[in-house]
Amino acid sequence: MKLLAKPSLKRALTLFMFVCLAYSAYAQAPNSATSLPNLHPGFKDITYTGDTLYSIYPQKIVGESTCDAAARDELLRSMGSFAKGNSKTKYVIGCRGEKAVKAYEAQIPKVSGGYLIKITRDKVIIAANDAAGEYYGVRGLLALMKGKRALPCCEIRDWPSMPERGIIEGFYGNPYTHAERLSMFQFMGSYGMNVYVYGPKDDPYHRTHWRDPYPAKEASLIKELAETARYHHVEFVWAIHPGLDIQWNKADSLAILHKLEKMYDIGVRAFCVFFDDIGGEGTRAEKQADLLNFLHREFVMKHQNVAPLMMCPTQYNKSWTRGDYLHTLGTRMDPSVRIMWTGATVVDMIERDDMVWINEQINRKAYIWLNYPVTDYCIDHLLMGPTYGNGLDIAPMVSGFCSNPMEYAEASKISLFSIAEYTWNTPAYDAHASWNRAINFMAQTGLDEEALRIFCENNVDLGATGHGLRRYGESTDFPQTNDEDSLRAWFAQLKHASQMLIESTQAGTTAPALSQEISPWFEAGRIVAERGLRILNLRKALAQRDSLGFIQSYVAYTQLTEQGRALRSRDFSGSIKTAAPVVATLRVEPWLRAEAKRLEKEYRQAGYTYQLNVFPAQLIPDGTYFIKCDDKYLTDVTPQVPGAQALFVAERDTINPQRQEWTIELSPATNRYSLVCNQNRRYLNEVGRFGTNPYNELWNTYQITKAPNSDGFLIRNAQNGGTAWWRCNNEGNIGFSQESGSFFEIIPADN
């Protein structure tokens, strides 16, 4: 029966019909499977006949000696796990144009990587469009038969949605090790990714010493990378980054040409030129275009089997576009050169409108460089949540789609698994379902799946950054009420999961790559859970008027907090970046800080005097104050005007004193102060005006420190790079300085 349905309904209908047909067939089959085949990642076209293949082990494999090596190796390795029995099943594997599969050519998808799987009562055929299709066909078949002793007879046609699908090692930080790259190629091939762009910012022969050839040892490693990637049907793209000091002369053009020749000699067949994150002369669009044209003419056209060039422009996202830069590239550069693009901003998900805009600018389909799940700009976080936000209708509009991952190769595979599914079958992609499969995939290395899931659920958001991207689906099951039983159960669950993952690291034999790579975050999760349990103990002690128990729990909470702050990842000699791991920062961490502060205040207000010294000293106690500069009072002069400026005025207001009274409170979430005028509770924002947007603790809190050699204070914005010191300017409003600020008096309002 042929199932024809819209992509959004097709998976559900396919599974339903599969259940009906497979159950009927399996019910009659001795020793048949009792569960359905794993349809990962979801075939595009599948037809069932109602028959069953009862013996899946091959009696012989036609095409074994001529088919793709990786496909053959994978098939034979997997078949070795089945009992041979008296099978009469014949396997046939081959590519378009080969005699063995000639009868099926009309049914093979005419797409690179496309394949046909046909299962009858005595035969399994894998007929592919090319060698990659043979490999993907074998992988699809093995996914279908996983754990089964019989299969439904069917016909499957599958092919990738996007022509190039892969990874860009383009982050700032500790580059992947050689072993991590080799492991990544195997992972990529298994899940249909076919491009690996090698451009680690901290490889000196890629960037700072781009003119110099690799030494013999490093060159041999690159050679092995290219060969291993090719075996797994991954194109290894070597990138050069000359923009920092390129001279735009013949000598430098020839230096790049000679470098590419050297890389060609060791087996590289695909190349990219980066001009990202540079300034000065290197940013000139016409020079970049002329260089790429020169390399296309003098290198690509003069060598066999070299892929079309790729380039990363200087203006690689919409928010950075200026002048006619993109138009110049699009009209002056050979149309075969692929141009990379990160979206509307540096860190962005890609939707249809983004593609319409950029493709019109560059006169070709953009090559997507997705800056996710990379964390080089938020290194304390792991991004282990669902990968969502990219359009399901953009596949025809891209020339390629690659993800820039975290410097933690194994942890990145949670997201990369979903990127692989998204780029293979874009219209049918389901972010949450894919994420669940990714966790199951990672757990197969030996980790407890539920523990890993809990950990991932609390490592989703990347915090506030200058790039703006947020992932708000973190810790979604954290209780929104103050019910102690619910909270205690939640923290106990996180503690148990973290402890299980920690023990897997200590064992050394269970999931060593992932566990050892991110073990500091496992410990961070345990500490968050322990802190939460101590907070609940504080509540209990306060309710029971147990000052001793309260102080003991508070000290324990403080010690745990310091332990968490002391955690480090990649803290070794020669490390390029060292992270301070954090977990559950979106909802849980702010709750912990706020609750600790609230309980401390309740303890003080209850009149307890025992061990008050254990509480942190606060420079300015929460309260109501006047803020003065040059004997002038900071005042809400126009309280009815939205977004008005706060001004310094000479007169003390005795009629409406609230206009000059400010509630100053330390924010537990940021450890900075908020400034709210008592006249109508308007907060002061980062440009010295009364904010009209909802109050935001990250943007609208301020660092207040003692001024040197003075009784006054200095005030500095936390946002805008944390470099804007407040100044009282001649107009009486708040100005800003990057160097030093004015001295402010902060005087209790009851004085």
Side-chain angles (χ1 to χ4, degrees):
M1 175 179 178
K2 186 85 169 187
L3 297 181
L4 299 175
K6 294 180 180 179
S8 59
L9 299 176
K10 190 168 186 178
R11 178 175 293 172
L13 291 173
T14 298
L15 288 173
F16 174 75
M17 293 304 299
F18 189 97
V19 170
C20 297
L21 293 171
Y23 178 80
S24 175
Y26 290 176
Q28 305 171 36
N31 300 319
S32 66
T34 58
S35 59
L36 298 178
N38 175 8
L39 297 183
H40 161 78
F43 302 119
K44 287 188 175 66
D45 186 74
I46 184 166
T47 305
Y48 299 100
T49 67
D51 291 329
T52 302
L53 170 66
Y54 292 114
S55 180
I56 63 174
Y57 192 86
Q59 185 221 16
K60 65 175 181 177
I61 302 177
V62 177
E64 178 182 341
S65 61
T66 56
C67 72
D68 173 70
R72 179 186 64 245
D73 294 347
E74 191 71 21
L75 185 62
L76 294 177
R77 182 166 51 248
S78 298
M79 286 299 166
S81 64
F82 295 97
K84 293 183 179 181
N86 296 315
S87 173
K88 296 182 180 180
T89 303
K90 181 168 70 172
Y91 276 57
V92 179
I93 182 169
C95 282
R96 185 185 299 279
E98 295 179 356
K99 182 178 179 180
V101 297
K102 187 173 180 60
Y104 311 102
E105 280 198 1
Q107 299 164 270
I108 301 172
K110 294 181 180 180
V111 178
S112 178
Y115 62 86
L116 164 76
I117 298 174
K118 187 176 180 66
I119 301 173
T120 70
R121 298 181 69 176
D122 60 358
K123 189 182 297 182
V124 175
I125 300 100
I126 300 175
N129 191 66
D130 49 23
E134 287 182 324
Y135 182 62
Y136 300 146
V138 167
R139 293 293 307 178
L141 176 66
L142 295 176
L144 188 68
M145 65 172 53
K146 185 176 181 181
K148 310 299 181 293
R149 299 176 63 185
L151 289 176
C153 294
C154 60
E155 190 172 291
I156 297 168
R157 296 173 71 250
D158 202 11
W159 63 94
S161 293
M162 297 185 184
E164 296 196 3
R165 314 162 300 280
I167 296 171
I168 297 173
E169 186 185 341
F171 49 80
Y172 292 88
N174 299 289
Y176 288 159
T177 66
H178 190 66
E180 285 171 338
R181 293 179 183 125
L182 296 177
S183 171
M184 194 66 81
F185 298 153
Q186 183 177 13
F187 165 82
M188 293 173 68
S190 296
Y191 293 97
M193 286 182 152
N194 63 350
V195 174
Y196 188 96
V197 182
Y198 175 92
K201 294 294 191 290
D202 295 291
D203 174 352
Y205 301 100
H206 156 74
R207 193 164 182 248
T208 54
H209 298 293
W210 58 268
R211 295 178 182 86
D212 301 332
Y214 281 94
K217 180 179 179 181
E218 285 78 3
S220 68
L221 295 178
I222 297 289
K223 178 180 176 66
E224 184 181 2
L225 291 178
E227 291 174 348
T228 305
R230 190 170 297 116
Y231 172 83
H232 291 289
H233 296 282
V234 175
E235 184 77 81
F236 180 81
V237 182
W238 184 80
I240 188 169
H241 196 307
L244 291 174
D245 60 355
I246 193 167
Q247 299 302 305
W248 299 129
N249 55 32
K250 184 175 182 179
D252 271 2
S253 294
L254 290 174
I256 296 175
L257 179 63
H258 293 157
K259 186 68 170 279
L260 267 56
E261 292 282 3
K262 290 285 187 181
M263 304 310 295
Y264 183 89
D265 290 343
I266 61 174
V268 178
R269 294 294 181 267
F271 301 88
C272 184
V273 183
F274 285 2
F275 291 106
D276 58 319
D277 301 344
I278 60 172
E281 278 292 300
T283 66
R284 294 173 60 182
E286 73 280 6
K287 295 295 186 181
Q288 294 175 4
D290 290 347
L291 173 65
L292 269 295
N293 289 338
F294 169 76
L295 296 175
H296 170 74
R297 185 177 62 251
E298 298 298 325
F299 181 74
V300 176
M301 300 301 293
K302 293 183 178 181
H303 292 78
Q304 292 184 341
N305 302 322
V306 172
L309 290 169
M310 298 165 60
M311 69 94 69
C312 181
T314 306
Q315 296 180 18
Y316 56 78
N317 68 88
K318 188 176 181 180
S319 68
W320 287 6
T321 55
R322 301 289 186 274
D324 61 355
Y325 175 89
L326 290 176
H327 177 75
T328 299
L329 291 184
T331 56
R332 187 166 179 141
M333 194 161 60
D334 190 275
S336 68
V337 179
R338 280 84 58 80
I339 299 176
M340 308 185 95
W341 186 248
T342 69
T345 60
V346 176
V347 181
D348 188 30
M349 297 300 168
I350 312 299
E351 299 186 76
R352 185 177 183 85
D353 289 348
D354 301 321
M355 297 309 305
V356 170
W357 187 88
I358 183 57
N359 289 353
E360 288 178 352
Q361 302 298 311
I362 61 177
N363 294 316
R364 67 200 75 197
K365 296 178 181 180
Y367 198 107
I368 297 304
W369 172 322
L370 184 74
N371 271 323
Y372 186 89
V374 65
T375 56
D376 56 7
Y377 61 100
C378 55
I379 61 173
D380 298 339
H381 296 258
L382 292 179
L383 299 185
M384 308 288 280
T387 300
Y388 64 91
N390 295 302
L392 304 185
D393 56 354
I394 68 170
M397 308 174 76
V398 306
S399 59
F401 193 107
C402 285
S403 163
N404 189 14
M406 298 181 280
E407 72 170 69
Y408 300 91
E410 291 298 309
S412 293
K413 289 178 181 177
I414 291 284
S415 181
L416 294 176
F417 182 98
S418 291
I419 295 291
E421 291 201 346
Y422 168 75
T423 54
W424 182 273
N425 194 353
T426 309
Y429 176 70
D430 182 323
H432 196 78
S434 181
W435 179 65
N436 284 327
R437 285 191 291 269
I439 291 172
N440 175 262
F441 157 74
M442 293 301 293
Q444 291 174 15
T445 59
L447 290 173
D448 181 86
E449 183 171 348
E450 185 59 25
L452 181 59
R453 184 184 310 280
I454 292 168
F455 175 78
C456 290
E457 287 171 344
N458 289 283
N459 288 274
V460 173
D461 188 42
L462 53 160
T465 71
H467 295 307
L469 182 70
R470 298 300 296 268
R471 306 275 91 172
Y472 291 108
E474 181 177 276
S475 311
T476 54
D477 62 343
F478 184 65
Q480 298 302 302
T481 68
N482 273 328
D483 177 68
E484 183 168 336
D485 290 340
S486 297
L487 287 164
R488 193 171 292 279
W490 193 91
F491 284 116
Q493 177 181 256
L494 177 59
K495 177 182 176 181
H496 179 68
S498 300
Q499 193 62 48
M500 290 187 71
L501 297 172
I502 290 169
E503 289 172 0
S504 75
T505 307
Q506 295 170 342
T509 57
T510 306
L514 180 65
S515 295
Q516 293 174 18
E517 183 180 70
I518 61 172
S519 58
W521 276 271
F522 295 162
E523 180 64 12
R526 183 194 69 80
I527 289 173
V528 165
E530 292 278 16
R531 288 169 63 210
L533 293 172
R534 295 303 188 280
I535 288 288
L536 297 177
N537 290 344
L538 284 173
R539 279 186 176 185
K540 183 177 180 180
L542 199 59
Q544 295 176 347
R545 302 188 60 80
D546 178 8
S547 60
L548 175 60
F550 185 93
I551 293 299
Q552 288 175 336
S553 293
Y554 189 90
V555 170
Y557 170 84
T558 302
Q559 291 173 341
L560 285 164
T561 302
E562 292 305 312
Q563 289 175 24
R565 290 172 179 165
L567 288 174
R568 295 292 181 270
S569 175
R570 302 288 167 101
D571 188 19
F572 53 80
S573 177
S575 175
I576 294 168
K577 282 192 172 185
T578 299
V582 292
V583 169
T585 58
L586 183 65
R587 292 181 175 87
V588 182
E589 183 62 34
W591 182 89
L592 290 171
R593 294 181 183 180
E595 193 67 2
K597 183 67 176 175
R598 184 185 70 80
L599 292 168
E600 175 199 335
K601 290 177 74 171
E602 284 194 15
Y603 183 87
R604 292 179 184 273
Q605 291 169 357
Y608 295 111
T609 58
Y610 177 66
Q611 291 287 303
L612 293 178
N613 62 309
V614 305
F615 300 123
Q618 189 168 318
L619 180 63
I620 301 173
D622 293 354
T624 301
Y625 295 86
F626 296 117
I627 301 175
K628 297 179 65 177
C629 185
D630 296 335
D631 289 326
K632 297 178 181 179
Y633 293 84
L634 187 61
T635 307
D636 185 353
V637 177
T638 52
Q640 304 307 317
V641 178
Q645 288 185 323
L647 298 176
F648 286 94
V649 300
E651 298 80 15
R652 174 81 174 266
D653 191 329
T654 57
I655 299 174
N656 293 304
Q658 294 87 357
R659 296 196 305 162
Q660 296 176 332
E661 294 176 355
W662 297 83
T663 295
I664 300 179
E665 291 183 330
L666 188 69
S667 164
T670 64
N671 203 35
R672 302 190 294 261
Y673 293 92
S674 62
L675 306 175
V676 176
C677 185
N678 286 4
Q679 170 68 23
N680 54 12
R681 307 305 302 169
R682 296 201 293 180
Y683 72 88
L684 207 58
N685 69 17
E686 67 281 357
V687 293
R689 294 179 178 271
F690 291 101
T692 56
N693 295 323
Y695 171 76
N696 184 306
E697 284 186 303
L698 294 171
W699 276 93
N700 307 131
T701 52
Y702 307 91
Q703 299 172 357
I704 300 179
T705 57
K706 287 289 292 182
N709 305 316
S710 168
D711 292 333
F713 296 88
L714 296 173
I715 303 176
R716 183 169 66 172
N717 285 356
Q719 294 300 324
N720 292 334
T723 59
W725 297 91
W726 284 24
R727 296 192 66 83
C728 180
N729 60 29
N730 294 333
E731 291 75 30
N733 55 27
I734 298 171
F736 301 93
S737 169
Q738 300 296 310
E739 298 178 358
S740 62
S742 300
F743 291 178
F744 295 90
E745 295 180 81
I746 298 178
I747 305 167
D750 55 4
N751 283 3

